[in-house]
């Protein structure tokens, strides 16, 4: 009986060793799978995918050329202008509004003999050859007062906070929106192509920055 016990002990030891070796093999296989997956993913991420795009020389747009034409309407443009003016007039005591109907309209107020007087100044917009927009005053509504347009525009120029790219000429009774001086943060700029307020058709083009000359 004792001999049989002694003979069985080596078998138990062998079985335990086989279990340990099996766990080691499984662990190594798992590590191999994880490393293989990691390497495969890394290669896929950093390898450029093939595309059907034409050569870069064919898709390059010369700088200073229009890259996008935008068609909009009065409602959308009024929303943009309202947001812009609200931001511009923060902290200012004198407020005004500018929006588009069948004409462009500037609404505001100024003081005469200590009393606040509301006014409505109407303009016809024109697209200039350089893509800027000229607003030509055509009518003024200011209650029962009889004041010339030039005088009201002079008061606007003195008392209103306007962007640097807006030029007010009270003598010519015009306001010029110098879009060529209104550049985006990346240097891109906008030009007006067409403005038809009655037909609600407004078109602008977006341009890449112009290349600087060597002597600039």
């Amino acid at each position: 009986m004792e001999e049989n016990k002694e003979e069985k002990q080596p078998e138990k030891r062998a079985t335990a060793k086989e279990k340990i070796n099996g766990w080691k093999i499984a662990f190594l296989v798992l590590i191999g799978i994880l490393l293989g997956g990691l390497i495969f993913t890394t290669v896929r991420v950093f390898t450029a995918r093939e595309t059907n795009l034409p050569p870069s020389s064919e898709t390059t747009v010369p700088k200073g050329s229009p890259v996008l034409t935008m068609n909009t309407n009065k409602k959308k443009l009024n929303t943009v202008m309202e947001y812009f003016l609200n931001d511009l007039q923060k902290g200012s005591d004198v407020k005004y509004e500018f929006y588009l109907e069948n004409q462009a309209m500037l609404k505001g107020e100024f003081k005469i003999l200590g009393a606040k007087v509301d006014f409505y100044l109407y303009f016809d917009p024109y697209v200039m050859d350089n893509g800027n927009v000229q607003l030509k005053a055509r009518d003024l509504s200011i209650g029962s007062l009889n004041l010339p347009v030039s005088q009201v525009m002079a008061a606007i120029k003195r008392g209103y906070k306007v962007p640097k790219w807006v030029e007010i000429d009270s003598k010519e009774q015009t306001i010029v929106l110098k879009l060529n001086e209104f550049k985006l943060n990346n240097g891109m700029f906008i030009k007006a192509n067409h403005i038809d307020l009655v037909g609600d058709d407004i078109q602008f083009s977006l341009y890449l920055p112009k290349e600087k000359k060597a002597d600039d």
Side-chain angles (χ1 to χ4, degrees):
M1 296 292 290
E2 293 179 357
E3 291 178 357
N4 292 336
K5 289 181 180 179
E6 291 177 357
E7 291 176 357
K8 290 180 180 180
Q9 285 178 356
E11 294 179 0
K12 289 181 180 180
R13 291 174 183 174
T15 303
K17 287 181 179 180
E18 289 176 359
K19 290 181 178 180
I20 293 172
N21 290 334
W23 280 108
K24 285 183 178 180
I25 292 171
F27 181 71
L28 292 174
V29 170
L30 178 60
I31 291 177
I33 292 172
L34 293 175
L35 288 176
L38 180 61
I39 293 171
F40 176 77
T41 303
T42 303
V43 171
R44 288 296 299 273
V45 168
F46 289 98
T47 300
R49 295 185 179 181
E50 295 182 1
T51 63
N52 294 323
L53 294 176
S56 59
S57 59
E58 295 181 13
T59 58
T60 300
V61 179
K63 293 183 178 181
S65 300
V67 292
L68 179 65
T69 298
M70 301 170 287
N71 283 83
T72 186
N73 54 42
K74 291 179 288 189
K75 183 178 180 181
K76 292 178 181 178
L77 203 53
N78 283 336
T79 301
V80 174
M81 291 189 296
E82 180 183 7
Y83 174 83
F84 180 79
L85 288 177
N86 286 340
D87 185 64
L88 178 68
Q89 297 179 92
K90 285 180 180 177
S92 176
D93 295 330
V94 182
K95 305 287 185 180
Y96 65 94
E97 300 175 43
F98 182 80
Y99 52 93
L100 305 176
E101 293 182 340
N102 285 344
Q103 299 90 31
M105 185 169 72
L106 178 66
K107 175 186 175 183
E109 64 178 29
F110 55 85
K111 290 184 178 181
I112 296 180
L113 300 177
K116 291 183 179 180
V117 178
D118 294 327
F119 69 86
Y120 297 84
L121 190 54
Y122 299 89
F123 299 88
D124 285 328
Y126 299 94
V127 176
M128 304 174 72
D129 292 338
N130 59 2
N132 291 340
V133 177
Q134 183 190 71
L135 304 174
K136 179 66 176 178
R138 59 169 293 179
D139 196 14
L140 173 65
S141 175
I142 195 169
S144 59
L145 294 176
N146 186 18
L147 293 175
V149 172
S150 58
Q151 187 175 339
V152 174
M153 291 189 66
I156 293 170
K157 187 175 182 179
R158 289 193 305 269
Y160 281 62
K161 183 179 180 181
V162 297
K164 294 180 179 179
W165 47 273
V166 174
E167 181 181 77
I168 299 175
D169 188 334
S170 58
K171 292 182 180 179
E172 296 295 328
Q173 300 180 14
T174 60
I175 296 178
V176 176
L177 308 180
K178 296 182 176 180
L179 299 180
N180 59 329
E181 296 182 8
F182 177 66
K183 290 183 173 60
L184 305 176
N185 291 335
N186 55 9
M188 299 180 79
F189 59 97
I190 299 171
K191 286 186 178 182
N193 297 331
H194 177 71
I195 299 178
D196 178 8
L197 298 183
V198 176
D200 204 12
D201 182 20
I202 302 168
Q203 187 181 103
F204 294 90
S205 287
L206 185 65
Y207 286 72
L208 290 174
K210 292 184 178 179
E211 292 182 344
K212 292 184 178 180
K213 296 180 181 179
D215 55 351
D216 286 352

